[in-house]
Amino acid sequence: MSGTPQLGIVELGAICADMRVRNLELFERLGHWIVDTPDPALQRLFADASHRPAWHAELWAQRAPMIPPAELDISIAKVPAVDTPPGDRATAYHHDLDRMLADLRDLRGRVDALLDPSTVRTASLATADLTELEHRLTAAMSHS
């Protein structure tokens, strides 16, 4: 861990809350897109993909530190952007995936795997799912 400071318990609580909120927002947005996305391949991808952020939100809620108790403040959740035009949805989702993957890489660089294996495991599970979805999305976008 070169020049990056290790993650403290209070900051970890804030990161868990932020990741939970972001995943809940993504779950809602993808759910709205399923209904009226005209491309069948993207519609199927959004339907399958919507389940993952719901599960990831649960993982981050369970990962939140409990000593001292860290509140998962989800009051910062925004209303999902349901007005994304169908033609821009794949690009918007790709951007969301890229951003979340970058944040997960940064998080992994700050967590000591021996001291906090639970955060490493949660981040690894989310990274594996998002990487798979990113590959599928890229393939679907190239066939559209």
Side-chain angles (χ1 to χ4, degrees), residues 1 4-8 11 15 106-112:
M1 298 212 199
T4 308
Q6 281 195 315
L7 194 59
E11 187 179 5
I15 288 171
D106 290 344
L107 176 62
R108 281 296 316 267
R110 298 187 58 207
V111 175
D112 186 319

Side-chain angles (χ1 to χ4, degrees), residues 60-84:
W60 288 111
Q62 293 169 1
R63 177 54 212 115
M66 301 314 260
I67 303 171
E71 293 294 320
L72 287 180
D73 181 9
I74 61 168
S75 65
I76 59 173
K78 300 176 200 103
V79 175
V82 294
D83 59 349
T84 304

